[in-house]
Amino acid sequence: GWNNRGQYADGTPTSRAYAVTSNGLRGLQGVAMGTYHGCGLDDEGGAQCWGYNPWGQLGDGTNRSRLIRAPVNDLIAIRAVRVTDRSSCALHDDGTVSCWGFNAWGQLGDGSNRTRWSPGPVRDILSIKALGSGRHHYCALNEAGRVFCWGYNGYGNLGDGSRSSRQRPVPVEGLEEVEGLAIGDLTSCAVSVDGTMSCWGRNDLGQCGDGGSSHRNAPVAVEQLTEVVEADVGELHACARRQDGGVWCWGSDLYNTMGRQRASGLRIMR
């Protein structure tokens, strides 16, 4: 894959068409990759990032791109890290969230649209237990089972009933007792404690799984799907695993993402 911006953290800008072991990532856990940069957790409870850095998405206080990883400023006791196309966020052990990087649509959640070169706190959310990221938005799940999203919202992917981007977290409409998040490029989904799944945002190729093709500003139920234990969302499709081990996918099948041999879209399949 691409390594033109140092995405491998191996000290080179050389892209490769085959799998390689990156010694530069040894010792990191919970690695999260964006288009041009990545971040991971180190063994001291902090985070380290590498790659392209014109908007400060590496969090080291500079806009200098790096071919090897560098520590993120002022981060301790980190549980998880997530990245978007040009920004990064970290979930702290105490349930708070910090973000840094590009902020044109409010994806840093600090109430502004100012770029940050180092981490700053996301406002108005506490007791967060899970964090997910899309292209230019983030969503967080708190201990009470509520979901909050912020950032770009051009397809309704924040789920607050609008298509207005938000500089601070807003609650997703009608969602309670959520167990897990699956946040994709411009489509967001949540799995509830009862095993059902809801999605919102971009839906022109059926990414929300509701049988339609209109973008959804608020959550809709994924049809024909129960007993979900795990889910993930990509750019144009989503998949879920059920308790019985079956895997269901929906959305675009352009690159055989449904596990079939011919392309089509707007389908749910097992």
Side-chain angles (χ1 to χ4, degrees):
W2 278 349
N3 191 35
N4 58 327
R5 303 295 187 181
Q7 294 96 313
Y8 296 0
D10 65 353
T12 79
T14 304
S15 299
R16 295 173 176 85
Y18 51 86
V20 295
T21 298
S22 175
N23 292 326
L25 300 184
R26 290 188 184 275
L28 293 184
Q29 301 178 12
V31 170
M33 293 299 302
T35 307
Y36 298 114
H37 81 291
C39 297
L41 306 180
D42 62 31
D43 56 9
E44 297 181 354
Q48 300 194 22
C49 298
W50 58 93
Y52 198 41
N53 194 35
W55 297 282
Q57 60 262 53
L58 303 190
D60 63 354
T62 77
N63 63 351
R64 174 188 170 193
S65 298
R66 296 186 181 272
L67 299 179
I68 59 174
R69 71 198 204 199
V72 178
N73 288 346
D74 305 323
L75 279 188
I76 58 172
I78 300 302
R79 185 189 316 174
V81 63
R82 298 289 182 264
V83 303
T84 67
D85 187 45
R86 306 173 199 172
S87 67
S88 311
C89 288
L91 172 58
H92 296 257
D93 285 343
D94 65 3
T96 60
V97 177
S98 297
C99 297
W100 58 97
F102 189 63
N103 196 28
W105 294 287
Q107 55 266 58
L108 304 189
D110 64 354
S112 80
N113 61 359
R114 295 187 301 274
T115 293
R116 281 187 176 271
W117 313 105
S118 295
V122 174
R123 296 188 177 186
D124 305 333
I125 52 173
L126 298 170
S127 302
I128 300 303
K129 70 175 186 177
L131 183 65
S133 60
R135 185 189 300 182
H136 294 300
H137 77 289
Y138 292 91
C139 294
L141 170 64
N142 71 12
E143 295 286 353
R146 299 289 307 280
V147 179
F148 299 83
C149 299
W150 62 97
Y152 179 72
N153 195 31
Y155 291 83
N157 39 294
L158 302 189
D160 67 342
S162 79
R163 294 191 187 172
S164 299
S165 298
R166 304 293 185 180
Q167 297 178 350
R168 298 165 73 155
V170 291
V172 176
E173 284 191 354
L175 276 189
E176 296 180 354
E177 298 185 335
V178 171
E179 179 68 22
L181 295 176
I183 309 302
D185 189 57
L186 293 165
T187 307
S188 308
C189 297
V191 178
S192 297
V193 295
D194 64 2
T196 59
M197 186 168 171
S198 301
C199 296
W200 58 98
R202 185 177 176 183
N203 193 36
D204 53 319
L205 296 172
Q207 298 96 309
C208 290
D210 65 341
S213 58
S214 298
H215 305 317
R216 304 300 183 185
N217 299 340
V220 292
V222 178
E223 293 183 353
Q224 306 175 31
L225 197 59
T226 59
E227 300 181 339
V228 175
V229 296
E230 186 178 12
D232 205 354
V233 182
E235 181 180 1
L236 300 174
H237 78 293
C239 293
R241 181 172 63 87
R242 298 183 60 200
Q243 286 182 353
D244 62 8
V247 176
W248 293 64
C249 296
W250 57 95
S252 173
D253 195 23
L254 181 61
Y255 299 105
N256 297 325
T257 47
M258 302 294 114
R260 297 192 173 187
Q261 306 223 339
R262 68 183 179 83
S264 72
L266 300 175
R267 70 168 69 200
I268 300 175
M269 64 159 289
R270 184 179 182 182

